[in-house]
Amino acid sequence: MSDLPGSLADFGPAALAAVVVAGYLVVGEPMVGHVLHRRFEGRLRTDPGARRSFYRRLLVLEWGLAVLALIVWLSAPGVDAGAVGLQWPQRWPGLLTSGVVLLVLFFVVASTRVLRSGALLEAAEPARRPGEGRHAEPSGAATLALLPRTAAERRLFTLVGVTAGVCEEWLYRGFFLAVVAALAGGLPTGVLVLVAAVAFGLAHAYQGRVGIVTTGVLGGVMAAVYLDTGSLLLPVVLHALIDLRFLLVPARALPAGRTA
């Protein structure tokens, strides 16, 4: 396990700021994500630049939060780089964690093949069952709407994927778990993994229940890898690769609805 802080006193004068930022990640980020996505969906109906604009907003928001958390950590005299995962891996992941990672990678490869085949095109079309609105959205539509279609969107999405790997691992694994450990010192690894999974799943609440569960599982896996190795390096690489795999999905395999 990484050398997490044992007490909130380790953060010194930055303790309050650390708690506020961590609290925002759990409570504020789901609300902000929901609002941003709803606005994005509204613009997507009429604005051909909606995705590019949304990607830029994500870049500003994630890097802004990451820098803020970095400043808070730099102001914490008793929390060294190892306590927030900013070091080279100290050991290999355990057998159980490695097995779970392999299962996740298998799922990622399988889901990418499904997306590339275009099998989700029909499922992603607005449902038209009796009693439902004309524009009822199927599960997963929010995620599919975010995927890039044009060359310009793909270039920006590449930055978004790398940013998600770096910033979200730093925020939700390195920084957030350090604050949680400081607030409730002595928590076992399993509880920390669960807390990380719940927080990360809630941050993606705009994706619906399936999205919350899927991203929650991924968040838990990344937390387990981080705590096993003591470093954010492997989680960052895995996270970025998982997001960047969507660049392998051709535009023809994605629903064309709700675009200008």
Side-chain angles (χ1 to χ4, degrees):
M1 181 186 296
S2 64
D3 188 19
L4 297 173
S7 166
L8 196 59
D10 293 340
F11 281 87
L16 178 59
V19 172
V20 170
V21 174
Y24 170 82
L25 293 175
V26 177
V27 179
E29 188 64 16
M31 293 188 292
V32 171
H34 177 74
V35 171
L36 287 179
H37 194 82
R38 288 296 296 272
R39 291 179 179 175
F40 161 67
E41 288 181 322
R43 290 186 60 188
L44 195 57
R45 297 186 180 96
T46 58
D47 183 1
R51 284 193 186 87
R52 296 194 301 275
S53 177
F54 185 71
Y55 294 160
R56 294 188 188 100
R57 288 174 183 267
L58 287 179
L59 291 172
V60 171
L61 178 62
E62 295 215 345
W63 280 110
L65 280 172
V67 170
L68 176 60
L70 184 65
I71 292 173
V72 173
W73 167 65
L74 290 173
S75 303
V79 183
D80 60 24
V84 290
L86 300 180
Q87 60 183 351
W88 292 106
Q90 304 298 296
R91 49 199 167 268
W92 289 102
L95 184 61
L96 178 60
T97 300
S98 299
V100 173
V101 169
L102 289 177
L103 287 175
V104 169
L105 291 177
F106 174 79
F107 166 77
V108 167
V109 172
S111 63
T112 303
R113 288 175 63 89
V114 171
L115 282 170
R116 284 179 58 84
S117 72
L120 295 183
L121 273 174
E122 183 177 350
E125 289 301 318
R128 296 184 181 177
R129 299 184 185 127
E132 286 187 329
R134 188 167 177 262
H135 298 292
E137 296 287 355
S139 175
T143 303
L144 292 177
L146 291 172
L147 303 189
R149 271 71 168 173
T150 68
E153 289 174 359
R154 287 176 179 273
R155 286 193 293 270
L156 265 178
F157 188 85
T158 301
L159 294 177
V160 171
V162 173
T163 291
V166 174
C167 294
E168 292 180 8
E169 290 308 313
W170 158 241
L171 287 167
Y172 282 93
R173 257 63 73 181
F175 181 80
F176 177 72
L177 286 183
V179 177
V180 171
L183 285 171
L187 290 177
T189 299
V191 174
L192 290 171
V193 169
L194 180 61
V195 170
V198 171
F200 198 60
L202 290 176
H204 295 80
Y206 66 88
Q207 296 181 12
R209 293 179 181 177
V210 174
I212 291 175
V213 172
T214 302
T215 55
V217 170
L218 288 175
V221 171
M222 298 304 173
V225 174
Y226 162 50
L227 294 172
D228 266 9
T229 63
S231 170
L232 291 173
L233 180 60
L234 287 179
V236 165
V237 173
L238 287 171
H239 192 150
L241 289 176
I242 288 172
D243 283 6
L244 291 175
R245 83 189 195 277
F246 290 119
L247 293 174
L248 300 175
V249 181
R252 65 178 181 275
L254 295 170
R258 306 186 69 180
T259 59

